[in-house]
Amino acid sequence: MSAARLLMTALLVSILLAGCGFHLRGTQSLPEDANYVVIRSVEPHAPLARSLDKRLEVYDIEGGSNYPTEAQQSFVVIELLPEQLERRLLSVFSTGQVAEYELIFGVRYKVTFPGQQPIPAYFEILRDYQDDPDQVLAKSRELDLVLDEMRREAADRIIRRLPSQATQTVPVQ
């Protein structure tokens, strides 16, 4: 393939992507007028709150469970409501014991941006989980690992949703 043809192909792909509204996600997850995230939880020491606090570091966002000490800082408040975990039966062994579950991890929270009304949000994360009654201890540990992974994914999703939630805010009156 010649260099000119390769250049024309790249140019055409770029025009098509720009024309359909595609754009790369930025690294900035907070609106410009906020520079700190406060994590509040209805349950003290909630695992999701700890996971969210750790994930803020990965996204290079300042935050934590304490309000900032400097009064001039504007902050976003994420209030986590109790997490929900449900199990839906998917299959059973010939003996009638449960072989496989679908785990449904429900996350409810409210986000409050500076000078705005709180925005309630909810989403679910689904995972299949195979149960083995002969290996109860190993399966218990595996369930803990799956729940930790689901909480990490939930924290990532909360952080990635912040920019779109910032655009749908309603001023406090």
Side-chain angles (χ1 to χ4, degrees):
M1 189 182 255
S2 71
R5 188 172 177 156
L6 185 61
L7 181 62
M8 288 300 287
T9 304
L11 182 62
L12 180 63
V13 169
S14 298
I15 291 171
L16 287 174
L17 285 176
C20 74
F22 175 81
H23 63 280
L24 294 173
R25 289 186 184 181
T27 58
Q28 183 65 20
S29 294
L30 294 177
E32 292 177 11
D33 62 340
N35 56 8
Y36 193 86
V37 175
V38 176
I39 303 168
R40 290 179 32 205
S41 178
V42 174
E43 298 174 353
H45 310 294
L48 181 56
R50 287 194 310 265
S51 183
L52 183 57
D53 191 28
K54 288 178 187 174
R55 298 307 291 172
L56 285 174
E57 293 175 17
V58 171
Y59 285 87
D60 199 26
I61 298 173
E62 287 188 55
S65 58
N66 300 321
Y67 283 87
T69 55
E70 299 175 20
Q72 73 268 19
Q73 282 189 323
S74 59
F75 47 88
V76 175
V77 178
I78 299 175
E79 182 180 353
L80 300 171
L81 302 173
E83 59 190 43
Q84 302 167 336
L85 181 64
E86 297 178 28
R87 296 178 191 201
R88 186 179 315 156
L89 179 67
L90 292 180
S91 64
V92 294
F93 292 116
S94 59
T95 61
Q97 291 180 311
V98 176
E100 188 176 18
Y101 289 107
E102 179 177 53
L103 299 174
I104 305 165
F105 186 71
V107 178
R108 290 188 192 283
Y109 67 100
K110 295 178 189 175
V111 178
T112 307
F113 293 94
Q116 306 291 326
Q117 294 281 348
I119 301 169
Y122 176 78
F123 61 86
E124 293 178 343
I125 297 174
L126 307 174
R127 291 285 187 280
D128 289 346
Y129 174 73
Q130 295 180 352
D131 200 10
D132 185 357
D134 296 331
Q135 298 180 355
V136 176
L137 189 57
K139 284 301 186 176
S140 172
R141 178 67 181 136
E142 181 183 347
L143 179 60
D144 289 342
L145 291 173
V146 169
L147 288 174
D148 286 345
E149 176 190 330
M150 293 171 86
R151 287 184 184 105
R152 246 188 335 272
E153 183 178 331
D156 286 341
R157 195 176 292 185
I158 290 170
I159 294 168
R160 285 192 315 262
R161 283 181 161 191
L162 288 175
S164 64
Q165 289 170 325
T167 61
Q168 59 179 322
T169 58
V170 177
V172 174
Q173 297 178 9

